[in-house]
Amino acid sequence: YSQITDWVQGDARYEPKGYTHAVYNWDDLVTALEAAEQTYYTKIIQMADITQLDNSQPRPVRDFREHCVFNGNGHRITGLTHPLFSTVYGGYVYNTHLRDCRMQTFAGAIGLLAFVNLSGTITQCSATGTVEHTSYGNAGGLVGNNDGYITRSYTDVQVKVTNASLLQNVGGLAGENKGQIIACAAFGTVEVDE
């Protein structure tokens, strides 16, 4: 029997195989999303609940490509003021849960997770919060435009639209749907003012 006397507390970070980025905090999330802008093979897994810090919101990932993966791993991201993705362009986003997010836009598509889902797959995701839209485009609780696949997801989002004469489409889950939405629900409200 020997006694260990020089124990040093290590970093409790686990890097799962098959992923390029394990996200434990806000800085990790920003770094991973910036990497997704640079490469088409980014695979991100969230390892803890995260809250947005101050106004340090990363720019939404412009094109989350077909070989990219974002696995929220059942954890929450709270307080976002911009979507994670501009366009899910063939990428795969799953098990991602956004809470108490608040987003405003004056033009274009808007949703809490992405502006546009273009041939991407979004599954087992959810969002709560508020989307406010004041000009032309599409407004939805999860995505503004869906031209891909959304399955087994839900929103509890208050979608508010002013200047409705300029708006194209509005919805609780997707503002406009030209893709497939299967086994999803929208529990929030949609308010449209002229």
Side-chain angles (χ1 to χ4, degrees):
Y1 168 79
S2 63
Q3 186 174 11
I4 299 173
T5 58
D6 58 348
W7 176 262
V8 176
Q9 181 67 37
D11 185 3
R13 297 170 68 90
Y14 169 68
E15 302 288 337
K17 288 186 178 184
Y19 289 93
T20 58
H21 293 83
V23 172
Y24 285 87
N25 56 46
W26 182 253
D27 291 336
D28 290 346
L29 180 63
V30 171
T31 299
L33 293 176
E34 288 172 352
E37 281 284 320
Q38 305 299 319
T39 178
Y40 297 139
Y41 296 96
T42 303
K43 297 189 181 343
I44 302 166
I45 185 167
Q46 186 176 336
M47 301 299 287
D49 291 342
I50 298 170
T51 299
Q52 178 177 340
L53 298 177
D54 305 321
N55 288 324
S56 60
Q57 175 72 32
R59 181 172 60 88
V61 177
R62 186 173 45 249
D63 291 324
F64 200 65
R65 297 283 181 168
E66 61 185 313
H67 298 291
C68 293
V69 173
F70 189 99
N71 176 1
N73 205 19
H75 294 289
R76 296 177 174 194
I77 301 174
T78 302
L80 290 180
T81 55
H82 296 289
L84 293 177
F85 310 103
S86 177
T87 304
V88 179
Y89 191 53
Y92 187 59
V93 180
Y94 68 104
N95 215 3
T96 301
H97 306 288
L98 308 179
R99 294 293 177 265
D100 302 321
C101 301
R102 182 180 175 91
M103 298 183 194
Q104 292 179 290
T105 189
F106 302 102
I110 184 72
L112 294 183
L113 182 67
F115 295 137
V116 177
N117 179 23
L118 182 63
S119 69
T121 299
I122 297 171
T123 188
Q124 294 178 298
C125 294
S126 66
T128 69
T130 303
V131 171
E132 296 181 22
H133 198 299
T134 59
S135 189
Y136 71 90
N138 300 313
L142 196 63
V143 298
N145 299 349
N146 180 49
D147 291 301
Y149 304 94
I150 302 176
T151 64
R152 300 173 63 198
S153 298
Y154 76 90
T155 60
D156 189 357
V157 176
Q158 184 178 20
V159 181
K160 298 179 183 179
V161 175
T162 55
N163 293 328
S165 61
L166 300 173
L167 186 73
Q168 293 172 326
N169 299 287
V170 62
L173 190 80
E176 178 180 53
N177 179 41
K178 292 183 177 178
Q180 293 185 357
I181 297 177
I182 301 168
C184 294
F187 299 105
T189 60
V190 174
E191 298 177 20
V192 179
D193 296 326
E194 294 296 327

